[in-house]
Amino acid sequence: MAEPPRILLIVTGGIAAYKSLDLVRRLRERGARVRSILTRGGSEMVTPLSLAALSGEKVYQELFSLTDESEMGHIRLARDADVVVVAPATADFLARMATGLADDLATTVLLATTAPVLVAPAMNVQMWAHPATRRNVARLRSDGIRFVDPGSGDLACGEEGPGRMAEPIDIVGAIETVLAQPKPLHNVRALVTSGPTFEPIDPVRYFGNRSSGKQGHAIAAALARRGAEVTLVTGPSAQPPPPVATLTEVETAEEMLAACRQALPTDIAVCAAAVADWKVKAVRTQKLSRCDGPPPRYEMEENPDILAQLAQAAAGRPRLVVGFAAETGDVVDRARAKRERKQCDWIVANDVSGASDVFGGDANTVHLITPEAAETWPRLSKDEVADRLAERIADALAEPADAR
Ligand code: CTP
């Protein structure tokens, strides 16, 4: 028999909290397991006892409760959920989520979870329309949070308009839609590298490159959406971190290699980072000043090739190792040669010729080079490239090893 879906319900301090009791009842009727977190505001609206009675589970309230931490730490609470639902979500709670606060159990769990998050806002019509709330909702949507938008009608405050929490039956429908999404990479561990590396020259200067981390971060997110347990090892990047199981921030190629080794064994490795090929041989401990003499010359030495090392690992080689190649000229031939040289399974070759805006831009024209074929994909957004690659990876892992 299939395991019952595990729902973590966060009830915050809106008057609509009474409807959450009905939501719990309906979810239980459908065979779901419902754990709940009641915020301080939420407990002004419904009692922990009513939630516990309807859910048949303990209700969690405090971040630092010794009993909770010994029975079930907040990280496990975050992990042991197939979907996290915030209903009702007040304007204040949305603002705290959008800022990434972690000052109570509910916000901490939301930062720690890799499960999809569904939010059902409930507030006064003016508060819902306020530019600050609009901004917070837009930011949360771009972070991948899903919304069941409030309905219109008479509000508890006496006003009329949008702000009323969606009906429990509609929230149940939205939860079922989220749960129905296939997770072909469930139980698969993935390592993704992303961003540039910075190679120090002296305490303030470094050699770097223009990689934004957009493509690598999008791949990590696309794999995680399909259920993979992702470790993202990233160089310095302004991209918001995607919801992955483990995020390791590094600066240099050596640090990136060490973090990748630590992440092994994994089933998949996708090396999307723009790793510096060289580093300065003797990094100065003192900042060089213009008065110190003529312009400096730097002796460089090679950095480790992380992709090649992962692909050629004698023990613990991931089943599928995917590299990237930024090429001009005969893109496919060069990428084919690179695939063989590095001994990775696939190469995603970026065409960076001409007026390409690959570095820092949102779109990418790529070729997927496998041992059998070279496919040219149409010009796609980096998110679309990530989704397509994640689909292909899921298909490849579903095949027997000798068919790849
Ligand atoms: N890579 C790596 N470690 C390095 C250098 C590159 O893991 N020290 C990985 C990148 O993440 C990418 C692929 O190798 O997956 C790119 O290969 P690379 O040989 O660096 O190619 P380019 O930089 O595209 O070009 P070149 O052919 O000039 O080396």
Side-chain angles (χ1 to χ4, degrees):
M1 207 178 81
E3 294 282 318
R6 299 161 310 167
I7 295 161
L8 180 62
L9 173 67
I10 296 175
V11 179
T12 77
I15 188 72
Y18 76 92
K19 289 196 204 170
S20 304
L21 299 177
D22 185 32
L23 176 62
V24 173
R25 189 182 57 78
R26 286 171 187 271
L27 290 168
R28 295 275 323 272
E29 274 172 10
R30 283 164 176 75
R33 173 166 194 190
V34 187
R35 284 199 179 112
S36 15
I37 294 178
L38 194 56
T39 64
R40 195 154 299 161
S43 67
E44 300 287 333
M45 301 293 171
V46 291
T47 67
L49 193 60
S50 31
L51 259 182
L54 282 165
S55 65
E57 298 265 356
K58 179 175 158 48
V59 172
Y60 297 85
Q61 290 182 272
E62 297 299 330
L63 180 55
F64 298 113
S65 150
L66 281 181
T67 359
D68 288 0
E69 288 300 313
S70 59
E71 283 171 10
M72 163 157 303
H74 59 273
I75 298 295
R76 239 190 85 202
L77 203 51
R79 271 202 192 139
D80 286 0
D82 299 311
V83 56
V84 180
V85 181
V86 188
T90 59
D92 172 70
F93 197 77
L94 289 179
R96 292 166 60 220
M97 275 179 83
T99 319
L101 289 185
D103 59 354
D104 65 5
L105 179 60
T107 46
T108 306
V109 161
L110 282 164
L111 280 194
T113 190
T114 56
V117 177
L118 190 69
V119 172
M123 64 197 75
N124 163 275
V125 58
Q126 306 301 346
M127 291 169 82
W128 178 243
H130 195 283
T133 305
R134 311 281 11 107
R135 226 173 20 243
N136 292 332
V137 170
R139 149 112 16 136
L140 288 166
R141 281 192 208 276
S142 82
D143 288 349
I145 305 292
R146 297 158 166 91
F147 278 80
V148 197
D149 282 338
S152 275
D154 291 340
L155 299 173
C157 53
E159 293 191 52
E160 218 190 297
R164 197 161 82 172
M165 187 172 88
E167 293 308 316
I169 186 76
D170 297 324
I171 302 176
V172 169
I175 293 172
E176 283 175 341
T177 307
V178 171
L179 290 173
Q181 278 166 15
K183 296 266 184 265
L185 294 175
H186 181 64
N187 278 338
V188 167
R189 286 165 55 97
L191 165 65
V192 179
T193 70
S194 184
T197 64
F198 285 0
E199 306 298 332
I201 296 171
D202 66 23
V204 294
R205 302 185 178 92
Y206 59 84
F207 287 112
N209 64 65
R210 291 184 200 280
S211 167
S212 64
K214 276 185 189 156
Q215 187 64 81
H217 280 50
I219 291 167
L223 294 170
R225 272 198 301 280
R226 285 164 180 78
E229 186 186 329
V230 178
T231 298
L232 173 64
V233 179
T234 178
S237 161
Q239 292 304 303
V244 291
T246 311
L247 174 77
T248 310
E249 292 174 326
V250 297
E251 287 215 342
T252 66
E254 292 283 359
E255 288 167 5
M256 188 172 274
L257 175 64
C260 288
R261 285 210 175 116
Q262 194 158 11
L264 293 179
T266 61
D267 302 284
I268 312 164
V270 181
C271 294
V275 185
D277 288 321
W278 304 285
K279 64 181 172 193
V280 173
K281 198 163 181 182
V283 177
R284 289 171 197 267
T285 52
Q286 302 290 322
K287 180 183 167 225
L288 188 68
S289 159
R290 198 202 287 257
C291 316
D292 289 344
R297 287 169 173 273
Y298 296 105
E299 193 182 342
M300 310 290 282
E301 64 181 342
E302 252 182 56
N303 259 329
D305 188 325
I306 300 165
L307 172 64
Q309 290 208 16
L310 292 173
Q312 294 164 32
R317 182 194 193 274
R319 278 194 279 161
L320 187 69
V321 179
V322 183
F324 270 72
E327 305 289 356
T328 57
D330 199 338
V331 176
V332 170
D333 276 357
R334 283 168 170 277
R336 274 202 182 111
K338 188 166 288 177
R339 194 192 75 79
E340 279 175 23
R341 198 165 60 243
K342 302 212 182 200
Q343 295 179 32
C344 56
D345 301 293
W346 298 353
I347 284 257
V348 180
N350 286 294
D351 191 343
V352 293
S353 54
S356 136
D357 59 353
V358 170
F359 284 101
D362 286 321
N364 224 343
T365 303
V366 306
H367 308 266
L368 179 68
I369 317 288
T370 67
E372 300 78 33
E375 287 170 25
T376 300
W377 292 358
R379 186 173 166 80
L380 298 170
S381 73
K382 289 183 176 175
D383 284 335
E384 288 164 335
V385 168
D387 268 321
R388 207 158 159 161
L389 183 64
E391 290 293 326
R392 293 296 299 268
I393 289 174
D395 290 349
L397 261 61
E399 290 171 9
D402 52 0
R404 268 206 309 275

